[in-house]
């Protein structure tokens, strides 16, 4: 199955501390991890680990960091031919400060220059039209997100939107979507949407709604170390499950299990190789 992801690529830097220090003080990090990250790249990694053939549409800078991330993405089995390289621009950076209780704080440098444009998406139109599914991160500018969804719909792909719907493109995106995935805050942009399958993350589980019903799926019982990346693993697994012909309930359980398999380690990079998941019966 060919799945195209339009979203963010960045270097993730994770620092594990006992406590986040107060202003004017410092703290030692017990662990430091640097990795390929950003929501787009994380979802592409998860898709590859679940057996899909992911293509990533994203933006990097022309620095050494960008080159290193591209090489890692290739090793992960991601097609990066549509990752645009911006001249004289640093690759995006996301810093996560994670404390011993699993609470995180992000500092990120994702300026406009490392966000997708319509032109970036247009360049990837052949891949989008040929895909079995298109995943669109709504943290990217609305026009670029809309273009990716539109090309996917033209090719008959399963169109999956992830995040908060931008006000200007909201109605047009909903009309193109088969699936919308959001957390409770992001779901405020949905209103009374009907039609697409909708999966909303809550504090104690996920609600799956589709035209014929609704199901609440509780969280798994894995010990939570870091929730970063759980939503990306969930979205990737939900997509793969639906492409494999699972029902909404089955795909929802499969997705929640993938998220549970991600929260047990530090950082947002998925670790789903060999993951079998759980399918409701």
């Amino acid at each position: 199955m060919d799945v195209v992801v339009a979203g963010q690529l960045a270097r993730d830097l994770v620092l594990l501390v006992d406590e986040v220090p107060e202003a004017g003080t410092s703290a030692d990090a017990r662990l430091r991890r640097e990795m390929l990250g950003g929501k787009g790249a994380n979802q592409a990694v998860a898709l590859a680990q679940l057996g899909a053939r992911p293509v990533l549409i994203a933006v990097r800078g022309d620095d050494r960091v960008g080159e290193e991330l591209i090489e890692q993405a290739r090793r992960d089995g991601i097609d990066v031919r549509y990752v645009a390289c911006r001249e004289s621009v640093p690759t995006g950076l996301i810093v996560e400060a994670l404390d011993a209780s699993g609470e995180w704080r992000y500092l990120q440098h994702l300026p406009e220059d490392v966000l997708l444009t319509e032109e970036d998406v247009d360049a990837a139109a052949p891949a989008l039209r040929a895909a079995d599914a298109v995943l669109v991160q709504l943290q990217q500018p609305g026009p670029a997100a809309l273009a990716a969804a539109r090309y996917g719909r033209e090719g008959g792909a399963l169109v999956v939107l992830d995040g908060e719907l931008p006000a200007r493109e909201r109605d047009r995106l909903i009309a193109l979507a088969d699936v919308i995935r959001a957390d409770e805050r992001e779901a405020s942009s949905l209103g009374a949407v009907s039609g697409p399958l909708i999966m909303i993350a809550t504090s104690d589980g996920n609600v799956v709604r589709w035209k014929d019903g609704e199901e609440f799926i509780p969280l798994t019982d894995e010990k939570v170390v870091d929730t970063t990346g759980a939503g990306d693993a969930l979205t990737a697994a939900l997509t793969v499950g639906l492409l494999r012909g699972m029902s909404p309930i089955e795909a929802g359980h499969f997705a929640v299990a993938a998220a549970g398999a991600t929260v047990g380690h530090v950082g947002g990079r998925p670790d789903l190789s060999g993951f079998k998941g759980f399918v409701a019966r």
Side-chain angles (χ1 to χ4, degrees), residues 90-179:
T91 298
L93 173 66
I94 301 172
V95 179
E96 177 189 0
L98 178 69
D99 67 26
S101 65
E103 297 292 329
W104 49 258
R105 295 163 178 82
Y106 295 147
L107 297 171
Q108 57 189 34
H109 183 241
L110 302 173
E112 185 176 348
D113 286 336
V114 294
L115 301 180
L116 286 169
T117 66
E118 287 185 83
E119 290 75 17
D120 297 324
V121 176
D122 289 343
L128 288 160
R129 289 191 177 116
D132 296 303
V134 171
L135 273 61
V136 183
Q137 269 83 59
L138 299 179
Q139 295 79 7
Q140 296 296 304
L146 182 61
R150 186 177 64 250
Y151 284 127
R153 173 58 60 229
E154 289 175 0
L158 179 79
V159 176
V160 181
L161 307 181
D162 180 13
E164 183 175 359
L165 291 162
R168 182 172 295 181
E169 292 83 12
R170 175 186 180 277
D171 292 343
R172 285 174 289 172
L173 281 166
I174 290 172
L176 295 168
D178 297 294
V179 180

Side-chain angles (χ1 to χ4, degrees), residues 14-259:
V14 184
L15 300 175
L16 178 61
V17 298
D18 290 322
E19 292 183 358
V20 175
E22 297 180 0
T25 66
S26 63
D28 291 329
R30 293 195 284 113
L31 177 70
R32 167 180 166 177
R33 290 191 63 193
E34 297 184 45
M35 66 201 86
L36 170 67
K39 288 185 69 64
N42 283 342
Q43 290 188 9
V45 169
L47 287 163
Q49 293 172 346
L50 291 169
R53 294 180 296 272
V55 179
L56 179 61
I57 307 173
V59 179
R60 72 173 180 92
D62 64 349
D63 50 10
R64 183 166 182 171
V65 170
E67 295 173 359
E68 291 172 351
L69 295 183
I70 288 298
E71 288 305 313
Q72 179 59 61
R74 290 194 178 106
R75 291 193 293 272
D76 285 323
I78 301 169
D79 184 335
V80 293
R81 77 183 80 175
Y82 297 111
V83 176
C85 179
R86 299 277 198 268
E87 293 185 5
S88 303
V89 171
T91 298
L93 173 66
I94 301 172
V95 179
E96 177 189 0
L98 178 69
D99 67 26
S101 65
E103 297 292 329
W104 49 258
R105 295 163 178 82
Y106 295 147
L107 297 171
Q108 57 189 34
H109 183 241
L110 302 173
E112 185 176 348
D113 286 336
V114 294
L115 301 180
L116 286 169
T117 66
E118 287 185 83
E119 290 75 17
D120 297 324
V121 176
D122 289 343
L128 288 160
R129 289 191 177 116
D132 296 303
V134 171
L135 273 61
V136 183
Q137 269 83 59
L138 299 179
Q139 295 79 7
Q140 296 296 304
L146 182 61
R150 186 177 64 250
Y151 284 127
R153 173 58 60 229
E154 289 175 0
L158 179 79
V159 176
V160 181
L161 307 181
D162 180 13
E164 183 175 359
L165 291 162
R168 182 172 295 181
E169 292 83 12
R170 175 186 180 277
D171 292 343
R172 285 174 289 172
L173 281 166
I174 290 172
L176 295 168
D178 297 294
V179 180
I180 301 175
R181 208 283 314 179
D183 60 28
E184 285 185 289
R185 180 192 61 79
E186 295 165 340
S188 63
S189 67
L190 292 175
V193 171
S194 61
L197 184 151
I198 297 173
M199 191 162 189
I200 300 174
T202 69
S203 59
D204 55 354
N206 288 263
V207 177
V208 183
R209 297 202 313 256
W210 65 102
K211 65 178 181 178
D212 296 323
E214 179 174 310
E215 177 90 356
F216 175 76
I217 303 174
L219 300 177
T220 58
D221 57 3
E222 280 84 1
K223 179 182 178 181
V224 177
V225 174
D226 184 2
T227 59
T228 302
D232 297 331
L234 184 147
T235 302
L238 180 65
T239 302
V240 169
L242 292 171
L243 288 178
R244 288 178 179 170
M246 295 181 190
S247 70
I249 295 176
E250 290 172 336
H253 278 274
F254 183 69
V256 170

